[in-house]
Amino acid sequence: MTIRLDARLVPIYQDVLHRNPGEIEFHQAVLEVLESLGPVLTKYPEFADKKIIQRICEPERQIIFRVPWRDDAGEIHINRAFRVEFNSALGPYKGGMRFHPSVYLGIVKFLGFEQIFKNSLTGMPIGGGKGGSDFDPKGKSDDEVERFCQSLMLEMYRHLGEHTDVPAGDIGVGGREIGYMFGQYKRITNRYESGVLTGKGTDWGGSLARKEATGYGLIFFTQEMLKAQNDSLEGKKVVISGSGNVAIYAIEKAQQLGAIVIACSDSGGFIVDENGIDLTTVKRLKEQERRRIKDYTEYHTTARYVSDSSIWSIPCEIALPCATQNELTAEDATMLVNSGCIIVAEGANMPTTAEGIQVFQQAKLRYAPGKAANAGGVATSALEMQQNASRDSWSTEYTQSRLEEIMVGIHKSCFDTAKEYGDEGNYVLGANIAGFIRVARAMSAMGLI
Ligand code: NDP
Ligand code: 2IT
């Protein structure tokens, strides 16, 4: 892979490699941003003088702690959990918690780092943070998940607060886990502090449309990308990886807007249904019964299940990776380009490898990185905080219209910024520069902190 780094940024990147050994996903996320920042340093030399980039690359605070819990059989387990409070120049640290066996510091830091720029792009008053644990919720009973969440919060609560750090969901963390964590926070602190977590139940402080927001927002962003090319979603063939929270609501909105979603997946494999995915079945399997996507074929005999090849081998016009990091390789990107794909927009965080991104960019396919395209989730979390602060709750229609407005705004700022810096259609450049400048200005104004 060719590294395209401005000479002034090479020592900064080398320092990141040296100071954070083995954290390969964090290195990848930093390099992707640094590759865009050369022209920014030329335009704003004060950012270099104030070492803004070096400061952004170092989290403000990193918390690592033990989470002991007991399973249903009485056996003790010990997990490790993290909260990385990356940057609070624009507001309280904000970002999800991920429960997955692959979680380690490098994953949490890549996510926290990207979250800084994503949150900045939303225009909302939120800083960047992320957390998680190597706990695997798969196969655990509700009671076990409850005990784990309570044990985790017994340490994490002291670092949180509606004005300090506000977690939410991510992989493996949805409404159930947020409920257990909120209950434990409330009990320990003796405070009904609604704004300390987002993604809450809509009966007790959660925002309507938050559950749908990341997936819906992704489709609103995709729609803007198409509009910029005088095109629309109507009749487009779409492939969406994953079948979790983001994928499900991306499928829902894409279908509402006339697209035909023909494939989705989980970590076991993918299903192809040329008639269009039946979302009711997917929701039942995944949201209610916590089953595998393979079981879809029990209900739709014309669909097929594939577990020995990549979902990106299925020809489509629009590809929306919504599962996990580095799930779309250069080989996958080449297959998509060759099969006539015109747009890739990321619902997941960093799902395309660095080599994959280069394939897309060389082919001039329109490619939108997650920090722009999936920002609807955290933006709606900020709307949830706003409702909590005013002890109000908005209608679905109003909340969704705010979400759409925010996604249109993010698209515009990425598109306009890329154009301003001489590379129209380069959403990576636009997102990184627009996201960075807002944070850098705030840091610059606040002095050396
Ligand atoms: P969920 O846990 O609801 O779903 C995750 C989906 O991705 C599942 O289908 C899961 O399959 C699949 N998946 C997870 N890990 C892997 C893996 N290592 N290999 C293959 N497939 C995998 O999570 P979300 O839908 O919330 O998150 C999906 C992505 O979207 C993540 O990258 C997340 O960071 C990002 N995101 C989420 C937001 C949100 O609001 N929830 C906001 C912005 C981004 P299986 O069940 O088999 O593990
Ligand atoms: O990656 C993300 O933006 C999220 N998981 C959502 C974060 C949030 O605070 O809503």
Side-chain angles (χ1 to χ4, degrees), residues 83-361:
R83 189 73 191 164
V84 174
E85 297 180 333
F86 228 113
N87 194 292
S88 60
L90 295 176
Y93 309 106
K94 183 81 197 87
M97 292 291 291
R98 176 179 290 192
F99 293 170
H100 193 271
S102 62
V103 168
Y104 77 108
L105 191 58
I107 295 275
V108 181
K109 278 168 68 177
F110 113 66
L111 290 163
F113 183 75
E114 294 225 310
Q115 200 84 45
I116 304 170
F117 308 103
K118 181 195 304 192
N119 294 5
S120 165
L121 283 170
T122 66
M124 313 289 290
I126 42 178
K130 200 82 187 193
S133 173
D134 57 5
F135 174 75
D136 186 357
K138 276 204 198 83
K140 303 291 191 297
S141 69
D142 283 353
D143 285 348
E144 289 171 331
V145 171
E146 178 178 342
R147 286 194 292 273
F148 173 79
C149 289
Q150 291 179 338
S151 180
L152 179 140
M153 191 51 98
L154 201 49
E155 167 61 33
M156 193 168 69
Y157 86 95
R158 71 186 82 248
H159 309 288
L160 307 183
E162 61 180 333
H163 300 298
T164 309
D165 186 354
V166 183
D170 193 81
I171 290 176
V173 177
R176 176 181 62 170
E177 291 74 18
I178 296 293
Y180 294 145
M181 287 194 275
F182 184 79
Q184 181 76 333
Y185 182 88
K186 182 173 78 62
R187 187 177 190 201
I188 299 168
T189 59
N190 195 30
R191 280 167 62 85
Y192 204 110
E193 192 183 327
S194 298
V196 74
L197 286 170
T198 59
K200 300 180 290 297
T202 50
D203 292 332
W204 44 277
S207 175
L208 289 165
R210 172 61 188 93
K211 184 174 70 175
E212 294 83 0
T214 312
Y216 279 19
L218 172 67
I219 301 302
F220 292 144
F221 194 95
T222 305
Q223 200 177 23
E224 291 305 299
M225 293 172 81
L226 285 157
K227 274 191 202 159
Q229 295 179 290
N230 298 313
D231 205 345
S232 80
L233 271 165
E234 188 64 43
K236 291 283 185 305
K237 265 196 180 186
V238 181
V239 167
I240 298 184
S241 64
S243 50
N245 173 263
V246 179
I248 285 175
Y249 292 96
I251 297 173
E252 184 163 285
K253 186 53 78 181
Q255 289 179 341
Q256 283 172 11
L257 295 174
I260 306 150
V261 184
I262 54 168
C264 70
S265 65
D266 62 19
S267 57
F270 63 93
I271 51 155
V272 184
D273 189 339
E274 298 289 349
N275 300 322
I277 299 284
D278 175 32
L279 193 57
T280 310
T281 306
V282 176
K283 280 188 181 177
R284 191 172 76 231
L285 290 174
K286 291 294 178 180
E287 291 187 329
Q288 287 160 31
E289 297 169 359
R290 296 183 189 271
R291 287 166 65 187
R292 310 305 301 159
I293 202 64
K294 182 178 194 289
D295 299 342
Y296 181 94
T297 55
E298 280 176 29
Y299 305 95
H300 300 276
T301 45
T302 53
R304 60 196 164 94
Y305 176 71
V306 185
S307 62
D308 57 0
S309 64
S310 162
I311 190 171
W312 310 116
S313 62
I314 304 300
C316 60
E317 291 157 290
I318 298 176
L320 306 174
C322 294
T324 195
Q325 65 278 348
N326 293 326
E327 55 159 310
L328 199 164
T329 63
E331 199 186 326
D332 295 326
T334 307
M335 284 193 284
L336 285 171
V337 167
N338 292 341
S339 72
C341 181
I342 52 168
I343 280 185
V344 177
E346 297 182 338
N349 286 307
M350 209 170 74
T352 310
T353 62
E355 296 81 358
I357 295 175
Q358 288 190 358
V359 171
F360 290 147
Q361 291 184 332

